[in-house]
Amino acid sequence: MAVFLARFIHKKLKARRQAQARAAQDIDSDAPTLPSYETTGNVSHIPKNGTDTICPDNTADQQQPSPAARSTFWFKVRLMCALLLPVFLETLDYTVVATAQPHIASVFNALSLQSYIGTAYLLSSTVFLPLFASVADVFGRYPGLQISLFFFLIGSAISTGAINITMMLLGRGIAGVGAAGLLTVRFKIDCQ
């Protein structure tokens, strides 16, 4: 959805830039000529049309950003929209499971292990933060993000299909590994 929103915004702004370019061409073709002056000897007089200035100050129109600056801005907007979905899913996963821990533990008849559901996720996430920072430095941010998404997907799938509490804790741990990568790589991309 974020990609479609970014494309929609990009199309609207492209249409606006084209309309502004057409308007600028129309203005250039209808550009007024400079007023003529009546001179007597070396003395200039007020222009015949009665204006006090020869050229209006239109520097505000000329202060538009360069095309490179505009493309850099839209690249950053598209990048943030693309990173929004994985980070949203990671945050949603943690908050939803944290509120559903009592129900999950009661389904598996393991209320004494209820706190381990969130602890497995947070512990594995904390332990693997430095590893994914190194992965992003060595192999690049894109492979680091893809690997972390893979781990997060596998862990979430294992947790979803868990038949006992041990399988649930294993899936939460693997999802925590992926969440560590998502957080680390996102921060590395934001800092660049």
Side-chain angles (χ1 to χ4, degrees):
M1 184 167 143
V3 174
F4 293 118
L5 180 63
R7 286 181 183 168
F8 175 75
I9 292 171
H10 178 69
K11 286 180 184 177
K12 289 291 185 182
L13 289 175
K14 186 176 180 181
R16 183 184 296 169
R17 281 194 302 266
Q18 289 173 349
Q20 287 174 348
R22 277 187 255 123
Q25 288 175 352
D26 292 343
I27 290 173
D28 288 341
S29 64
D30 298 336
T33 57
L34 292 176
S36 61
Y37 289 92
E38 296 175 6
T39 57
T40 2
N42 290 338
V43 180
S44 295
H45 296 285
I46 298 177
K48 288 181 181 177
N49 61 3
T51 59
D52 290 335
T53 59
I54 296 173
C55 240
D57 185 21
N58 58 1
T59 56
D61 295 337
Q62 298 173 356
Q63 297 295 333
Q64 294 180 1
S66 67
R70 276 187 261 141
S71 67
T72 302
F73 171 76
W74 285 111
F75 173 75
K76 289 180 181 180
V77 168
R78 289 191 335 222
L79 180 66
M80 290 302 119
C81 289
L83 289 176
L84 180 71
L85 183 64
V87 172
F88 174 73
L89 290 176
E90 183 267 330
T91 307
L92 186 68
D93 178 64
Y94 176 70
T95 55
V96 166
V97 172
T99 57
Q101 281 180 1
H103 183 67
I104 294 170
S106 68
V107 167
F108 294 125
N109 293 323
L111 286 173
S112 62
L113 300 176
Q114 168 187 342
S115 63
Y116 289 118
I117 296 171
T119 304
Y121 183 84
L122 285 177
L123 185 62
S124 61
S125 177
T126 304
V127 167
F128 283 94
L129 281 172
L131 176 73
F132 274 102
S134 298
V135 166
D137 284 339
V138 173
F139 298 108
R141 293 178 298 273
Y142 181 76
L145 188 63
Q146 295 301 315
I147 291 168
S148 62
L149 281 171
F150 176 75
F151 276 113
F152 187 74
L153 177 73
I154 294 299
S156 296
I158 291 172
S159 297
T160 302
I163 55 175
N164 57 22
I165 193 69
T166 307
M167 191 173 175
M168 177 71 177
L169 294 177
L170 178 69
R172 293 296 291 159
I174 295 172
V177 172
L182 288 174
L183 289 174
T184 304
V185 175
R186 181 184 62 93
F187 281 129
K188 290 188 78 61
I189 291 173
D190 286 345
C191 293
Q192 295 295 325

